[in-house]
Amino acid sequence: MAREFTRVGVVGLGTMGAGIVEVFARNGVDVVAVEISEAALARGRATLTRSTDRAVAKGKLAEADRDALHSRVDFQVGLDALHAVDLVIEAVPEHLDLKQRIFAELDRVCRPDTILATNTSSLSVTDISVATHRPQQVVGLHFFNPAPVMKLVEVVRTVITATDVVDDVEALCARLGKVDVTISDRAGFIANALLFGYLNHAVSMFEARYATREDIDVAMKIGCGLPMGPLALLDLIGLDTAYAILDTMYRRGGRDRRHAPVPLIRQMVTAGLLGRKSGRGFYTYEKPGSPKVVPDEQTPATTQPATDGASGTTGVGGGTGPAAVTRVGLVGVGALATGLVGAFAMAGYEVVSVDGDVEPSAGISEAVRASLDEGVARGDLGAADRDTALARITWSATLEQLADVDLVVEAVAEELSVKQALFARLDGICKPGVVLATTTASLPVIEVAMATQRPADVLGLHFPDPTTVRQLVEVVRTVRTSAEATVTAQAVCTALGSATVVCGDRAGFVVNALLFPYLNDAVRMLEAGYASVDDIDHAMKLGCGYPAGPFAVLDAVGLDVSLAIQRALYREQREPGLAPAPLLEHLVTAGYLGHRTGRGFRDHTGR
């Protein structure tokens, strides 16, 4: 039988500590909530009150239940108040010496059978445990913010944590309605080990002025379906907290350079730009502690380039304006080409779809018709709108019919020689000033552009998810791309109803450059035997709010596609941490490519 915890203690009543208090009190457990001073105690009480009042206002907690919750919490100053609890959870700032002092004192104060737990997100639980005379009774219980909402708890056992202690806290997590993953004591555990490398990389992109803060955040929110962009998330976490976690992970985790805090983070911390809690971080907030973002000197102009595909009228908020685009050429036959033909036609453009000159036709006309018919069946568009869109499309098997279009988008095979040959032909067919766009996901756009005599007119239009071409487009400009070509592409993408981000011509652009190293890190974690596929996916879905875990994403994307992108990232940057995980290479060699072959990291044959 698992041990019954009737009274627990929580040390430290910041945002996380107060949230942990709420979790226990909501579930009928008496809590002794401890702080270092009366002032700190008052702040902790106020944090708990605000949280529960918000829950009542949203209809998620009855007033009577809120009052009962508060009656279970005993607020006290000093650790001596914890002499009779069954379990103590420490939630003070991430400083090893501070935690060790607290655990040494808890060892003196608490009963011999009391379990001592730390909520550390990055420090060694082992190093904390040896400050006591009961290291076998010390365990990590890593809750995620906000603790009352997030379902995941990482249970961290050291090499000497007793088995019954782990069993007892696992049972406690279930009682609290949490999902636990039990892991060993390693820098960053699962979630932070995968999350913070990604966050650090996003900061390096911003520091290098590769993309704006808004474009980086929009790219990951819309392109990957994440609840927050990386820079906004860092502001929520706190840049001082993020710096401490990254620094600890770098020192404890093998000194991987991708975990070495980007200099900009340290500079911002030194300047007091800590994120929401200070009122300014990567963004500026209405006041310290407020989630409301207000405009600052980096906020982009509200007027965006726009064009009406039906009339060809254009407008821009200043500077170089976009060229008029009324006729669009599409070259290709796959899922992306199908989606783009329909999207452009629905947006009011005349479309010339070329499917047979570069590669064998795959019935793109039938695929487009079927896609639009599905839209009618779902009620997303009317039959008349479908018929009007189809009437705007000209089907062709020869590139010569692209002679009078204003924009050409290619969606052919992801092979450099194929794209270069196509663009060389388009250069001789299309009229001057036509924007030529490649949808490559991994090839250097400049190498495609230099196959023409008009590299200023060539750019990339990367659609991270071919099945939702209207959601996000990465406009990729090379060192030769003109400003007019860039704003023209932005205007056309806006007319499609797409969120548009602008970035330079680097492997992976924004979305893939941030997404695939994170996926590769997850494969390395699995390969090392640290955690299972399910535990890693649970950690990222339940602990970070991701729509899918990394292995679910890999199987959906295709392991061969993922490997090709990771190889391109490594080839360009030569960063050892970006080298494809051997396990990923082995699975691809074995033909385990994910959903389309029935097996990848999971077996999909029975689904």
Side-chain angles (χ1 to χ4, degrees):
M1 289 289 292
R3 180 175 177 179
E4 182 72 15
F5 295 94
T6 59
R7 190 172 179 82
V8 304
V10 176
V11 180
L13 303 180
T15 302
M16 181 57 74
I20 295 171
V21 168
E22 182 177 342
V23 168
F24 280 102
R26 270 180 181 254
N27 287 277
V29 180
D30 291 334
V31 185
V32 181
V34 172
E35 259 294 358
I36 194 172
S37 67
E38 290 290 351
L41 200 67
R43 288 192 295 270
R45 189 193 301 266
T47 300
L48 178 62
T49 299
R50 284 194 300 271
S51 177
T52 54
D53 285 351
R54 277 196 305 270
V56 170
K58 292 178 179 179
K60 296 181 177 180
L61 186 66
E63 289 188 17
D65 291 336
R66 175 198 58 191
D67 296 342
L69 184 160
H70 283 277
S71 71
R72 297 187 188 104
V73 184
D74 180 15
F75 290 94
Q76 296 287 339
V77 174
L79 298 179
D80 285 341
L82 300 171
H83 62 90
V85 299
D86 305 311
L87 165 74
V88 178
I89 301 176
E90 162 274 310
V92 304
E94 290 286 275
H95 301 297
L96 180 60
D97 57 345
L98 172 61
K99 291 180 186 285
Q100 287 177 325
R101 288 198 304 272
I102 288 172
F103 270 72
E105 185 63 12
L106 290 172
D107 189 34
R108 181 190 66 81
V109 167
C110 296
R111 297 192 318 248
D113 64 339
T114 300
I115 294 174
L116 308 181
T118 173
N119 185 59
T120 182
S121 59
S122 61
L123 297 173
S124 167
V125 179
T126 305
D127 287 348
I128 294 169
S129 73
V130 295
T132 75
H133 292 92
R134 59 176 93 180
Q136 72 282 359
Q137 288 172 238
V138 177
V139 68
L141 280 181
H142 180 214
F143 289 78
F144 289 77
N145 191 30
V149 175
M150 303 304 283
K151 288 291 187 182
L152 183 76
V153 177
E154 290 178 315
V155 176
V156 185
R157 59 172 179 251
T158 73
V159 292
I160 51 176
T161 304
T163 300
D164 61 336
V165 168
V166 174
D167 292 342
D168 289 344
V169 297
E170 286 177 337
L172 176 62
C173 289
R175 175 184 170 187
L176 298 175
K178 301 295 185 182
V179 176
D180 73 271
V181 293
T182 300
I183 47 181
S184 58
D185 186 18
R186 169 175 153 173
F189 314 134
I190 295 177
N192 282 353
L194 296 179
L195 175 66
F196 275 85
Y198 151 74
L199 297 177
N200 202 38
H201 190 181
V203 178
S204 72
M205 277 189 177
F206 177 68
E207 182 184 52
R209 300 184 180 179
Y210 175 67
T212 67
R213 63 188 182 184
E214 287 84 3
D215 279 358
I216 292 169
D217 279 355
V218 165
M220 299 312 291
K221 281 185 65 179
I222 298 179
C224 294
L226 303 185
M228 298 182 73
L231 303 180
L233 178 56
L234 280 163
D235 276 358
L236 174 63
I237 293 169
L239 271 71
D240 52 343
T241 301
Y243 182 88
I245 291 172
L246 281 165
D247 187 56
T248 300
M249 287 175 55
Y250 174 71
R251 289 185 286 103
R252 287 188 60 212
R255 298 190 178 271
D256 185 335
R257 287 193 304 174
R258 292 178 309 125
H259 290 148
V262 171
L264 179 60
I265 301 177
R266 177 183 54 78
Q267 294 162 15
M268 293 176 72
V269 171
T270 302
L273 307 178
L274 307 182
R276 287 190 189 183
K277 61 187 174 188
S278 68
R280 187 169 179 184
F282 289 103
Y283 296 90
T284 300
Y285 299 87
E286 188 174 44
K287 61 183 179 180
S290 170
K292 183 178 180 181
V293 176
V294 297
D296 58 21
E297 66 277 4
Q298 296 185 56
T299 303
T302 55
T303 305
Q304 298 294 326
T307 185
D308 183 342
S311 67
T313 58
T314 60
V316 70
T320 301
V325 174
T326 58
R327 287 174 61 79
V328 177
L330 257 296
V331 184
V333 297
L336 177 57
T338 299
L340 287 173
V341 169
F344 277 112
M346 287 298 300
Y349 292 98
E350 297 296 322
V351 182
V352 180
S353 175
V354 180
D355 68 356
D357 199 86
V358 176
E359 52 191 36
S361 172
I364 188 171
S365 60
E366 290 80 2
V368 171
R369 292 173 192 273
S371 177
L372 294 177
D373 286 343
E374 289 175 6
V376 173
R378 290 193 305 268
D380 296 339
L381 71 155
D385 295 329
R386 173 200 58 198
D387 295 342
T388 300
L390 288 170
R392 296 190 184 108
I393 305 171
T394 300
W395 309 103
S396 175
T398 62
L399 292 174
E400 280 68 27
Q401 285 204 242
L402 301 176
D404 62 347
V405 301
D406 307 307
L407 164 70
V408 178
V409 181
E410 69 78 11
V412 301
E414 191 74 345
E415 296 179 20
L416 183 59
S417 61
V418 172
K419 293 183 187 289
Q420 288 175 322
L422 171 60
F423 272 70
R425 290 195 60 193
L426 292 172
D427 189 29
I429 293 170
C430 297
K431 63 190 179 185
V434 173
V435 176
L436 306 179
T438 172
T439 60
T440 182
S442 58
L443 300 173
V445 178
I446 188 63
E447 293 194 29
V448 178
M450 295 310 293
T452 75
Q453 300 300 311
R454 55 172 96 185
D457 297 331
V458 180
L459 47 70
L461 290 181
H462 178 230
F463 300 82
D465 184 352
T467 65
T468 55
V469 297
R470 288 176 180 262
Q471 289 193 358
L472 178 75
V473 187
E474 292 177 301
V475 177
V476 186
R477 57 179 182 229
T478 74
V479 292
R480 295 289 297 271
T481 304
S482 69
E484 182 182 33
T486 301
V487 297
T488 298
Q490 287 180 275
V492 169
C493 294
T494 299
L496 290 180
S498 303
T500 305
V501 301
V502 179
C503 59
D505 182 22
R506 283 174 28 182
F509 314 132
V510 176
V511 174
N512 285 352
L514 292 178
L515 173 64
F516 281 88
Y518 147 74
L519 298 176
N520 195 54
D521 286 345
V523 180
R524 289 185 179 278
M525 185 177 284
L526 175 68
E527 189 174 51
Y530 180 65
S532 69
V533 166
D534 287 341
D535 279 354
I536 293 171
D537 274 2
H538 279 320
M540 300 314 293
K541 285 183 65 178
L542 302 179
C544 298
Y546 281 22
F551 297 107
V553 173
L554 283 160
D555 278 0
V557 170
L559 273 62
D560 52 340
V561 174
S562 303
L563 178 59
I565 293 172
Q566 192 62 38
R567 282 173 172 166
L569 294 171
Y570 176 62
R571 241 186 344 261
E572 181 172 273
Q573 298 186 38
R574 298 297 176 180
E575 169 61 53
L578 294 179
L583 176 59
L584 180 61
E585 295 183 313
H586 295 165
L587 289 171
V588 171
T589 301
Y592 296 160
L593 307 183
H595 287 291
R596 72 176 185 273
T597 61
R599 181 168 176 181
F601 286 97
R602 290 186 172 91
D603 186 345
H604 304 282
T605 55
R607 298 183 182 184

